[in-house]
Amino acid sequence: MRPWPGTPYPLGASYDGVGTNFTLFSEVADYVELCLFDDDGTETRVRLPEVDGFVHHGYILGVGPGQKYGYRVHGPHDPDRGLRCNPNKLLIDPYAKAITGDVDWHESLFGYRFGNPETRNDQDSAAHVPLSVVVNPFFDWANDRPPKTPYNESVVYETHVRGLTMLHPEVPPRLRGTYAGLAHPVVIDHLKALGVTAVELMPVHQFITDDRLDQRGLRNYWGYNTIGFFAPHAGYAALPESANQVQEFKGMVRALHEAGIEVILDVVYNHTAEGNHLGPTLSMRGIDNQAYYRLGDEPKFYTDYTGTGNSLNVRNPHTLQLIMDSLRYWVTEMRVDGFRFDLAATLAREFYDVDRLSTFFDLVQQDPTVSQVKLIAEPWDVGPGGYQVGNFPPLWTEWNGKYRDTVRDFWRGQPATLGEFASRITGSSDLYQDDGRRPHASINFVTAHDGFTLNDLVSYNQKHNDANGENGRDGADDNRSWNCGVEGPTDDPEINELRARQRRNLLATMLLSQGVPMLLHGDELGRTQMGNNNAYCQDNEVSWVDWTLAEKNRDLLEFTSALTAFRRQHPVLRRRRFFQGKPIRKNDELRDIAWFTPSGEEMTEQNWGDDFGRCVVVFLNGEGIPDLDQRGMRVLDDSFLLAFNAHHEDIRITLPEDGYGLQWTVVVDTATGAVTAPDQGEPVLSGGTLTLSARSLVVLQRTGQE
């Protein structure tokens, strides 16, 4: 088989209808062999004939979609200097668009012998490593259009391709746990009825289960162990053996877009599955270890800001190119609508400190494709100074960990949280306003995949992670949870009623807050993980959504859906700009927001510092919105009072006077779970009183104006 020279770009394997161009970057390689595999495992090696700018390339006529391949890199091997080339190790293409097969943890995958880590291992790994696959780039997108939902109109639903559908009775068994299953009409109908505008998918880049879990009979369920930044995970395809995952993923995106739902990917560009210096040689380690990974002061070892063994070297231009090429590919070819960056602070580490002006952010900012989609940071890593909530550049939004912690503390009755609670539910201006960002920079969440579910947050005081096999060492110890009196399930009706109310309080607070709400899948159904707050390895009923709960907890599902609809109807709950605490227009008499004590008096500095701090009323002025709509018209809405009582006893509140409203009607009450129209309730006059039930939230709509 005689290769033609081909071209150095694009990187990866590119099929043009006649043959395939293969390219691989390696600055340290002496030469590179392309290895083509038949279905029976027969290997044909072809030396790539050309090198341009450290890119090795060649074109093979007649090679097309479905062809399995890998690389062998011939070059220096000196681990003490960070050089780990070994042509006996078959390597996955970092730009592979599809990957097939699993890692079986055979000794040949490692660069050393198990009995002596200092001894070079020249065993051939080809039979034990996943293979890259040439893909067909052509797909009929029909009339696909990205929804482009504005941030302030978004409701994000964090979910898992496999976990969402594995137990769904109306999804055909062969489609459960797959991209096609997530795109099934019954799943999309549920998302639409819930008011979801975007699904945030946990990692779908090709990942592997590490040896430690494999030996315990567990699986990497969450997927934060990437080995291919361009390849959709084959395990989520209905027909993985046919390498059809690319087409199936695109079909899922097309179906969700047709329903008006965006697709956001949780991406892991901070590390790879190759781990530390004792990890396997699967791809980048054997291609150009120094370029792709951040090495320690002793180049034999890796710098680890992620707790997983290695960190990608974002100081190297070729590694940055890999990340940017991957992002652009998923936007342009796979048509996703945004990204949530796992441990994003790692990407901002130019040298050691987190730098908001790092090259990575510069590249994203100027990129005409990536800069136009939703960019969500998990704004922390495990390195020094890694907690960076509020410190990302203006283009970015952030998972607001301070929102999560404050709202949890407020509803479990922790004292002295009132001032911060007020800041969090109004968009966290203390974190984002000084940077020129808007309330939507705050992705508000109370629960996420990492931690308790909503049901478990109100049912457990401690984590219960025995099933993970780590003797309870894994998972966070500080969960800011409260079991309402009994640890775990109970038949006590009073405790169950309190837990139901607390679930509604937490959901309602999030959906009534300024910013972008993010629901965790199954929380609307009362899903439980039985107290496991780190179910990363539980690919089973512990983590999968139990759809029988949809009937059992129908009231919770209907309450959540009604609240998302309520939010959608009222722009004062999803403002594009921060509150100013003053009249917005010249002739306005009322400020855009005002805060009141339970007695109906305006809050003072002393009130904000009150140790009790468990009840507050806030006025949202629907006529004090400074925005214009898409046609340049003034945005107007109804005005509301939101009354929060996190105390364990009922509190009688007095409605404010002084022109705020002549009468008010309750439209949301978490004590009863009611979300009603304003003409269905009994009005309360200005200056009148209303009893706020213990641990409840009430929304009153102004139904009469002075």
Side-chain angles (χ1 to χ4, degrees), residues 403 444-446 506-513 517-519 567:
Y403 179 95
N444 298 330
F445 68 105
V446 177
L506 291 161
L507 282 171
T509 301
M510 182 175 67
L511 290 168
L512 296 170
S513 294
M518 186 185 80
L519 294 161
R567 177 185 178 87

Side-chain angles (χ1 to χ4, degrees), residues 102-114:
D102 293 315
V103 173
D104 64 7
W105 300 107
H106 188 270
E107 186 181 27
S108 63
L109 296 170
F110 297 82
Y112 58 91
R113 302 308 296 254
F114 285 170

Side-chain angles (χ1 to χ4, degrees), residues 156-161 196 198-203 224 261-266 339-341 376 399 443 448-449 518-519:
V156 179
Y157 189 77
E158 190 195 23
T159 190
H160 188 283
V161 170
V196 168
V199 290
E200 184 178 299
L201 302 181
M202 291 182 67
Y224 293 97
I261 299 172
E262 294 182 307
V263 178
I264 298 171
L265 302 187
D266 190 340
F339 304 95
R340 178 266 190 189
F341 292 79
I376 305 170
W399 269 27
I443 305 296
H449 69 273
M518 186 185 80
L519 294 161

Side-chain angles (χ1 to χ4, degrees), residues 155-177:
V155 175
V156 179
Y157 189 77
E158 190 195 23
T159 190
H160 188 283
V161 170
R162 183 167 169 82
L164 183 63
T165 61
M166 280 299 293
L167 298 178
H168 201 300
E170 296 181 62
V171 174
R174 64 186 178 84
L175 299 183
R176 293 175 189 168

Side-chain angles (χ1 to χ4, degrees), residues 225-481:
N225 208 24
T226 305
I227 199 60
F229 293 120
F230 292 77
H233 187 61
Y236 296 157
L239 298 172
E241 65 281 356
S242 65
N244 194 48
Q245 54 264 42
V246 174
Q247 303 291 312
E248 190 176 328
F249 183 93
K250 290 179 177 180
M252 176 195 70
V253 173
R254 184 177 60 191
L256 288 165
H257 280 182
E258 187 176 355
I261 299 172
E262 294 182 307
V263 178
I264 298 171
L265 302 187
D266 190 340
V267 290
V268 190
Y269 293 113
N270 52 72
H271 74 279
T272 77
E274 291 187 293
N276 63 17
H277 64 289
L278 297 177
T281 299
L282 304 175
S283 181
M284 301 178 194
R285 189 195 305 276
I287 295 170
D288 195 331
N289 188 56
Q290 292 176 320
Y292 283 118
Y293 294 116
R294 296 192 69 159
L295 305 183
D297 293 335
E298 295 182 57
K300 178 179 179 178
F301 303 107
Y302 295 85
T303 300
D304 181 12
Y305 294 124
T306 64
T308 58
N310 64 54
S311 300
L312 277 184
N313 184 14
V314 292
R315 296 176 296 179
N316 185 283
H318 292 281
T319 304
L320 280 171
Q321 180 185 13
L322 171 76
I323 295 173
M324 295 305 299
D325 285 350
S326 171
L327 292 170
R328 279 190 292 269
Y329 173 78
W330 286 96
V331 175
T332 59
E333 295 297 322
M334 308 297 265
R335 299 204 180 183
V336 304
D337 305 282
F339 304 95
R340 178 266 190 189
F341 292 79
D342 177 66
L343 302 180
T346 300
L347 299 173
R349 290 183 182 273
E350 283 283 278
F351 292 95
Y352 297 100
D353 296 330
V354 177
D355 182 0
R356 62 178 300 180
L357 301 177
S358 70
T359 306
F360 173 71
F361 291 138
D362 289 344
L363 289 173
V364 170
Q365 184 77 35
Q366 59 81 39
D367 190 277
T369 299
V370 179
S371 65
Q372 300 304 303
V373 300
K374 289 183 168 67
L375 301 171
I376 305 170
E378 182 186 35
W380 49 78
D381 65 17
V382 300
Y387 192 75
Q388 294 291 322
V389 173
N391 292 332
F392 275 67
L395 190 65
W396 291 70
T397 63
E398 300 175 13
W399 269 27
N400 191 343
K402 292 185 177 181
Y403 179 95
R404 172 200 59 203
D405 295 346
T406 301
V407 170
R408 287 185 178 191
D409 278 349
F410 179 79
W411 283 114
R412 68 189 180 116
Q414 290 294 102
T417 62
L418 196 54
E420 186 164 4
F421 178 75
S423 178
R424 300 295 157 250
I425 66 173
T426 55
S428 295
S429 60
D430 59 322
L431 298 177
Y432 305 115
Q433 190 170 25
D434 288 347
D435 298 329
R437 288 194 276 180
R438 301 285 181 87
H440 69 243
S442 178
I443 305 296
N444 298 330
F445 68 105
V446 177
T447 56
H449 69 273
D450 188 3
F452 282 144
T453 66
L454 180 66
N455 179 81
D456 292 358
L457 188 65
V458 301
S459 303
Y460 294 91
N461 283 351
Q462 286 89 34
K463 63 186 181 184
H464 297 267
N465 296 358
D466 291 345
N468 295 354
E470 299 182 38
N471 298 317
R473 294 188 300 270
D474 66 302
D477 293 314
D478 179 17
N479 295 286
R480 301 174 190 251
S481 61

Side-chain angles (χ1 to χ4, degrees), residues 84-256:
R84 295 180 178 270
C85 297
N86 186 339
N88 297 294
K89 310 305 173 188
L90 187 76
L91 304 174
I92 299 168
D93 182 0
Y95 278 74
K97 306 301 192 302
I99 296 171
T100 185
D102 293 315
V103 173
D104 64 7
W105 300 107
H106 188 270
E107 186 181 27
S108 63
L109 296 170
F110 297 82
Y112 58 91
R113 302 308 296 254
F114 285 170
N116 185 356
E118 301 301 320
T119 301
R120 173 170 166 157
N121 181 356
D122 284 332
Q123 291 176 292
D124 194 301
S125 66
H128 308 282
V129 69
L131 299 176
S132 308
V133 184
V134 178
V135 304
N136 184 350
F138 307 110
F139 181 78
D140 182 7
W141 284 100
N143 295 319
D144 178 73
R145 294 289 186 276
K148 293 189 176 180
T149 307
Y151 271 117
N152 69 309
E153 297 176 15
S154 296
V155 175
V156 179
Y157 189 77
E158 190 195 23
T159 190
H160 188 283
V161 170
R162 183 167 169 82
L164 183 63
T165 61
M166 280 299 293
L167 298 178
H168 201 300
E170 296 181 62
V171 174
R174 64 186 178 84
L175 299 183
R176 293 175 189 168
T178 70
Y179 305 117
L182 196 150
H184 193 278
V186 296
V187 177
I188 290 179
D189 287 347
H190 174 80
L191 297 174
K192 290 177 66 177
L194 191 58
V196 168
T197 68
V199 290
E200 184 178 299
L201 302 181
M202 291 182 67
V204 298
H205 289 173
Q206 186 73 31
F207 62 85
I208 64 175
T209 294
D210 62 41
D211 187 35
R212 178 180 58 90
L213 289 178
D214 202 43
Q215 290 183 14
R216 298 207 305 266
L218 299 171
R219 301 293 297 167
N220 175 12
Y221 173 68
W222 282 356
Y224 293 97
N225 208 24
T226 305
I227 199 60
F229 293 120
F230 292 77
H233 187 61
Y236 296 157
L239 298 172
E241 65 281 356
S242 65
N244 194 48
Q245 54 264 42
V246 174
Q247 303 291 312
E248 190 176 328
F249 183 93
K250 290 179 177 180
M252 176 195 70
V253 173
R254 184 177 60 191
L256 288 165

